[in-house]
Amino acid sequence: MFSYKWSKTAFVAGDRLLDFLNTVDFSGRAGNHNRLTSYSSVVEWSLAAAIIDSAEAQAISLIAANAPFQAKQALIDLVQWRETVYQVFSAVSQKHEPSPEEWRIIEVSIQYAISSASLKRNDIGIAHWVAVSNGLTTIPQRLALGLHELLASDLVAKIKQCEGCTWLFIDTSKNHRRRWCSMATCGNRAKAQRHYQLKAALE
Ligand SMILES: [Zn+2]
């Protein structure tokens, strides 16, 4: 099966959870636009995103290969969760209230992730919830903990949606006027379109 190759162009959001929400192509979200087309693509993305290390990637891939039905269901659940989280952040980026139903879904996913996580202190004594390696639940659990950290941080106020596609990013630009997920893709497409329209108007 075709598997998308994750390069640094897939990690432009400034936050790993938002990068995960951006695992779709530029023209839409559902069906053909989804880049997480198999459980191995989830593992490959998570490895490229440093959500898991290579030993965990190998272990999870083996479990997925031995339990294809569970892996397929885990993929379906994860993509569905991604779309719910996307709807929440899409609303947040437009300064709207997320829908109570979608908010409840993400609340439950965070509660579930924390219920089996460990509270660890880092080098400077700040505590974080850390998910231990636990097969097919490792990646969704780490993503839900990442979602919790993002929602609890002041970066939430800086989340924007690209004007050319559905990708989300944290606008850390000085003047807060970043418009595109990436200049190399949506920024250039918009520039080319403006150029074409100008040319057409002059002819
Ligand atoms: Zn874009």
Side-chain angles (χ1 to χ4, degrees):
M1 184 185 274
F2 168 77
S3 185
Y4 183 78
K5 293 283 167 258
W6 307 104
S7 66
K8 63 178 194 254
T9 57
F11 300 98
V12 294
D15 177 88
R16 280 294 176 263
L17 191 269
L18 295 183
D19 285 326
F20 173 71
L21 304 183
N22 295 344
T23 51
V24 294
D25 74 24
F26 299 108
S27 45
R29 300 196 64 82
N32 292 340
H33 306 296
N34 175 29
R35 285 175 174 169
L36 297 178
T37 51
S38 62
Y39 203 81
S40 54
S41 63
V42 172
V43 174
E44 283 161 18
W45 179 86
S46 303
L47 184 60
I51 301 266
I52 54 172
D53 63 29
S54 53
E56 288 172 325
Q58 272 183 7
I60 294 168
S61 298
L62 196 63
I63 292 166
N66 287 327
F69 293 108
Q70 284 95 322
K72 195 175 175 199
Q73 191 54 51
L75 171 68
I76 293 168
D77 293 346
L78 195 60
V79 169
Q80 208 166 30
W81 182 78
R82 181 192 69 191
E83 291 311 297
T84 304
V85 180
Y86 163 73
Q87 291 299 337
V88 167
F89 280 112
S90 181
V92 165
S93 72
Q94 294 165 64
K95 314 292 177 211
H96 295 154
E97 272 303 308
S99 93
E101 294 79 17
E102 286 161 353
W103 187 257
R104 180 70 188 139
I105 290 169
I106 68 164
E107 184 182 31
V108 169
S109 71
I110 292 168
Q111 285 170 338
Y112 182 72
I114 289 176
S115 70
S116 58
S118 303
L119 191 62
K120 303 259 191 212
R121 297 177 79 227
N122 69 8
D123 300 346
I124 53 166
I126 296 174
H128 294 274
W129 289 109
V130 177
V132 289
S133 225
N134 192 19
L136 296 181
T137 62
T138 308
I139 294 166
Q141 189 184 11
R142 288 190 186 161
L143 288 168
L145 294 177
L147 168 62
H148 179 229
E149 288 204 1
L150 180 58
L151 284 170
S153 86
D154 54 9
L155 292 176
V156 156
K158 294 179 178 167
I159 294 174
K160 280 191 185 171
Q161 184 157 325
C162 175
E163 291 180 22
C165 72
T166 67
W167 283 28
L168 296 159
F169 56 85
I170 294 173
D171 183 5
T172 51
S173 65
K174 266 195 192 134
N175 54 11
H176 312 298
R177 290 176 72 176
R178 179 172 161 190
R179 297 171 64 193
W180 316 108
C181 59
S182 158
M183 267 320 286
T185 53
C186 288
N188 274 339
R189 254 196 298 277
K191 213 157 81 177
Q193 203 172 11
R194 270 201 309 277
H195 179 76
Y196 175 79
Q197 282 165 348
L198 196 65
K199 205 167 154 243
L202 292 173
E203 275 169 4

